[in-house]
Amino acid sequence: MGYGAAPKVALIALVCFFPLTIGVLDAFKSIDDDTLNLFRAMGASKLQILIHAKIPCAAPAFFSGLKIAASYAVVGGVISEWLGGNAGLGVYMTRARHSYAFDKMFAVIFFISALSLVLIWSVTWLARKATPWK
């Protein structure tokens, strides 16, 4: 894929894909059978069951997976810059480590941690707005 933005985005997408997918699939499996039977007894189509039963039940698990994926995205971006970048926080951290500027390296680590926390808090806020029933 080269050394451009495409492999970095692909790595971040790959790292974020699995926490989201596992969380949503587990949530779909854990839906109460009585709820599904009630929808079927009332003549709901598969699309109606998906929209009105499965998605609302899976939304909290989706946002939990999204919190994990948000922190993984930052770490995945830094790792992708370590592996093949020429600019960014990962490259800056590597250069600071090689020049024994550990104060700058730890400053980057704290910045990455703060960025991850801000992303997690923003997903928490979004989850509160999107799932008021929880």
Side-chain angles (χ1 to χ4, degrees):
M1 294 180 87
Y3 287 99
K8 294 176 182 100
V9 171
L11 180 67
I12 292 169
L14 187 65
V15 166
C16 294
F17 174 76
F18 291 105
L20 285 171
T21 304
I22 298 299
V24 170
L25 288 178
D26 283 345
F28 280 162
K29 289 179 186 175
S30 68
I31 295 174
D32 187 28
D33 288 334
D34 291 337
T35 304
L36 295 177
N37 289 334
L38 175 66
F39 273 87
R40 288 185 193 114
M42 294 177 73
S45 67
K46 289 184 179 184
L47 181 64
Q48 289 173 328
I49 291 172
L50 177 71
I51 291 172
H52 297 292
K54 289 186 177 183
I55 290 177
C57 288
F62 170 76
F63 284 112
S64 294
L66 193 60
K67 287 180 193 176
I68 295 169
S71 62
Y72 281 10
V74 176
V75 173
V78 171
I79 289 172
S80 67
E81 290 170 355
W82 282 347
L83 296 176
N86 53 8
L89 292 174
V91 173
Y92 182 77
M93 187 187 304
T94 303
R95 289 179 183 162
R97 190 184 80 223
H98 286 288
S99 65
Y100 297 105
F102 293 115
D103 57 337
K104 293 178 182 178
M105 186 179 74
F106 281 109
V108 171
I109 291 171
F110 285 130
F111 180 74
I112 290 168
S113 300
L115 183 62
S116 294
L117 287 174
V118 167
L119 287 174
I120 289 170
W121 288 332
S122 64
V123 170
T124 302
W125 177 81
L126 182 66
R128 259 189 263 130
K129 295 294 180 186
T131 57
W133 61 87
K134 184 174 180 257

